[in-house]
Amino acid sequence: MIRHIELRWEDSMRVDPLAPGLAVLAAPYHEVRVDSAGKRVVEVGYFTGVAEHGADGWRLRDAHWSVVGAPAPVR
């Protein structure tokens, strides 16, 4: 269970229109989560998704969160 979450988008967000009412967006992010036991998890990554405008406003679909992790060992 998550007790607290902070999400910050970095300044280099891109929004590219694809068609009327449809756009793709991409942005680096920084997230801090604190669970119910007080454990703090910091995550840095990159978000991509498609935004679609409908009768109730903009919605994200096909969203993908890539997490920056330690590099894999070289063999």
Side-chain angles (χ1 to χ4, degrees):
M1 181 175 263
I2 297 173
R3 180 175 59 184
H4 177 80
I5 189 167
E6 293 176 29
L7 177 62
R8 285 195 327 245
W9 301 105
E10 302 296 330
D11 291 336
S12 58
M13 179 182 283
R14 289 186 55 144
V15 178
D16 295 320
L18 299 173
L22 196 64
V24 66
L25 54 110
Y29 71 91
H30 181 269
E31 181 181 273
V32 178
R33 291 186 313 269
V34 180
D35 68 16
S36 57
K39 180 180 175 192
R40 179 182 165 102
V41 176
V42 177
E43 196 172 273
V44 175
Y46 201 77
F47 172 84
T48 57
V50 175
E52 181 178 36
H53 190 268
D56 55 347
W58 287 95
R59 292 194 173 225
L60 289 175
R61 61 183 221 198
D62 303 325
H64 179 77
W65 301 84
S66 297
V67 178
V68 177
V74 177
R75 294 180 184 218

